[in-house]
Amino acid sequence: MKRKTKLIHGGISGDLHTGAVSVPIYQVSTYKQEGVGVHKGYEYSRTGNPTRFALEELIKDLEEGRRGFAFGSGMAAITAVMMLFNSGDHVILTDDVYGGTYRIMTRVLNRLGIESTFVDTTDLNRVEEAIQPNTKAIYIETPTNPLLKVTDIAATAKLAKQHQLYLIVDNTFNTPYWQNPLRLGADIVLHSATKYLGGHSDVVAGLVVVNDDRLATDLHFVQNSTGGILGPQDSWLLIRGIKTLGLRMEAHEANARQIADFLVKHPSVKKVYYPGLESHPQHEIAKRQSAGFGGMLSFDVGSGEKAAEILKKVKYFTLAESLGAVESLISVPARMTHASIPKDRREELGITDGLIRISVGIEDAEDLIEDLANALD
């Protein structure tokens, strides 16, 4: 199947019992058993639910993996993946990961003895230098949030295999429509499905896909034991949202390209971060491993005061957390999504007070550019 066809016909289509073309919402907690341990595949909805399973099968097909898992949030998905490791294990992560990922590694999982090191994963030498005897995995976000750095997935996968490490890829920004990390050698791919996969600012969810049966067994044990599952209503909303993912991702990217070109030429903008620009340091890697460059971009206006003024003046960009929805969103990472990262660390990474991140929606590009132009002027 081609990509857009798979979005609609992947996983489980419809309902065999009634002929409904949409998977029903099985709003149920438990299931009748014919005898002890004799059932029709479901016994308790924490362990498995037909609507959630349909979503898990869909994301499995889209990411070309062995098994999919749906969680109550992106952070619940990340937490479950990290619970595959033991006290004393070490994980290498991309240095400018989402603030919530940084927070859980440095303020929660560290208390359980899971160690972490943050490095610039676009430089494989730095990644290799960070490997320790107790290292178990490399976790990359590509493109990163909010600096849009791109890590070479295939090269990192090769390095991971040389050292018998798992490669985990956060594919939230590019989605399986543009990028398939498992095909490039990753072992685990995860998403904050709240973002592009849902696409309409109406659901919070996380998805994970693994590439082998042992990982699938281990992750299902964690999911069932800890219970951070996605409910059937939200599972259904995600299935519905994913059907239009291809159309939306193409529209997001078309608008983002025009806006990036506009911002590059504007005298008030100090720097633009977008993988689709030929000036982007990892532009060629992005072209090689992804079918598109996505709808996220960041730009620096030089100071927190200027950023605050722009936020006040835009009309079509909504000041809000999150990203990936049909409406355009705008934020200042240093004060919002990455506020949990210490200021000196943010400045070291380049997440300045004047850095603005925009999630480009599917509105008319001319309106969005005019809105930014008025705010910048």
Side-chain angles (χ1 to χ4, degrees):
M1 282 188 283
K2 301 296 185 183
R3 286 180 298 167
K4 285 178 183 170
T5 306
K6 192 184 288 188
L7 293 172
I8 296 169
H9 295 285
I12 297 171
S13 298
D15 179 50
L16 293 176
H17 301 292
T18 64
V21 297
S22 176
V23 174
I25 300 173
Y26 285 89
Q27 196 70 52
V28 58
S29 62
T30 193
Y31 306 81
K32 179 182 178 181
Q33 300 188 26
E34 301 302 322
V36 177
V38 180
H39 50 74
K40 298 178 180 179
Y42 299 95
E43 52 188 326
Y44 190 61
S45 277
R46 171 165 43 78
T47 307
N49 173 280
T51 314
R52 189 173 87 234
F53 180 66
L55 169 63
E56 292 171 336
E57 286 290 283
L58 176 57
I59 193 61
K60 178 202 75 174
D61 287 353
L62 297 180
E63 286 289 12
E64 302 182 16
R66 296 290 293 176
R67 188 167 175 182
F69 300 88
F71 294 88
S73 69
M75 289 312 306
I78 292 169
T79 302
V81 168
M82 289 302 168
M83 294 180 88
L84 293 171
F85 307 116
N86 300 314
S87 178
D89 288 346
H90 174 251
V91 181
I92 299 167
L93 297 96
T94 301
D95 54 4
D96 68 324
V97 287
Y98 166 58
T101 307
Y102 180 87
R103 178 176 56 216
I104 196 166
M105 296 303 301
T106 60
R107 298 179 62 184
V108 178
L109 294 175
N110 65 315
R111 301 194 320 229
L112 304 179
I114 297 176
E115 303 170 10
S116 56
T117 300
F118 296 84
V119 301
D120 182 356
T121 54
T122 65
D123 185 341
L124 280 182
N125 291 327
R126 293 191 184 184
V127 177
E128 190 160 26
E129 289 169 0
I131 295 174
Q132 303 173 10
N134 60 335
T135 303
K136 302 298 181 183
I138 302 170
Y139 178 111
I140 64 175
E141 198 177 274
T142 182
T144 62
N145 179 7
L147 297 176
L148 285 302
K149 294 195 294 188
V150 177
T151 295
D152 189 324
I153 298 172
T156 309
K158 182 178 179 181
L159 176 66
K161 285 176 173 54
Q162 287 174 354
H163 293 271
Q164 298 181 310
L165 309 176
Y166 288 124
L167 176 60
I168 305 162
V169 180
D170 184 332
N171 199 28
T172 298
F173 274 20
N174 271 9
T175 81
Y177 189 72
W178 288 142
Q179 181 170 273
N180 297 110
L182 298 183
R183 193 191 297 171
L184 296 170
D187 300 289
I188 301 171
V189 59
L190 56 85
H191 297 268
S192 173
T194 310
K195 313 305 193 296
Y196 286 109
L197 295 177
H200 295 79
S201 298
D202 56 10
V203 63
V204 174
L207 297 175
V208 179
V209 181
V210 299
N211 72 346
D212 71 50
D213 293 332
R214 179 188 168 190
L215 275 174
T217 299
D218 291 347
L219 190 56
H220 182 258
F221 178 80
V222 170
Q223 183 188 47
N224 190 43
S225 299
T226 58
I229 57 166
L230 189 64
Q233 178 78 29
D234 288 344
S235 296
W236 184 87
L237 282 171
L238 267 187
I239 294 171
R240 184 180 69 168
I242 288 172
K243 292 180 188 295
T244 60
L245 179 66
L247 299 174
R248 289 186 286 105
M249 292 306 293
E250 290 176 4
H252 287 303
E253 173 161 340
N255 283 354
R257 283 172 177 258
Q258 293 184 59
I259 291 172
D261 289 338
F262 159 75
L263 291 171
V264 164
K265 299 171 184 175
H266 199 285
S268 297
V269 176
K270 308 299 180 185
K271 190 170 183 178
V272 179
Y273 301 85
Y274 183 62
L277 294 172
E278 291 186 3
S279 58
H280 188 284
Q282 293 94 39
H283 175 73
E284 292 302 319
I285 295 173
K287 279 177 62 177
R288 185 169 66 246
Q289 70 186 19
S290 305
F293 300 110
M296 296 299 301
L297 61 88
S298 298
F299 60 101
D300 200 321
V301 293
S303 72
E305 292 74 21
K306 288 182 180 179
E309 286 299 312
I310 290 169
L311 297 185
K312 290 178 185 176
K313 293 176 182 176
V314 289
K315 295 185 300 181
Y316 299 130
F317 289 84
T318 301
L319 176 60
E321 302 271 2
S322 200
L323 57 97
V326 291
E327 63 274 355
S328 293
L329 302 178
I330 192 166
S331 66
V332 177
R335 296 172 57 194
M336 298 173 72
T337 54
H338 291 66
S340 60
I341 299 176
K343 182 176 176 61
D344 58 344
R345 176 67 174 160
R346 292 198 306 265
E347 292 177 347
E348 178 186 343
L349 295 172
I351 305 173
T352 65
D353 291 345
L355 185 73
I356 294 174
R357 188 193 74 182
I358 58 175
S359 171
V360 181
I362 63 172
E363 303 94 337
D364 191 292
E366 290 185 11
D367 286 333
L368 297 176
I369 291 172
E370 181 181 355
D371 193 24
L372 287 170
N374 290 336
L376 284 164
D377 292 342

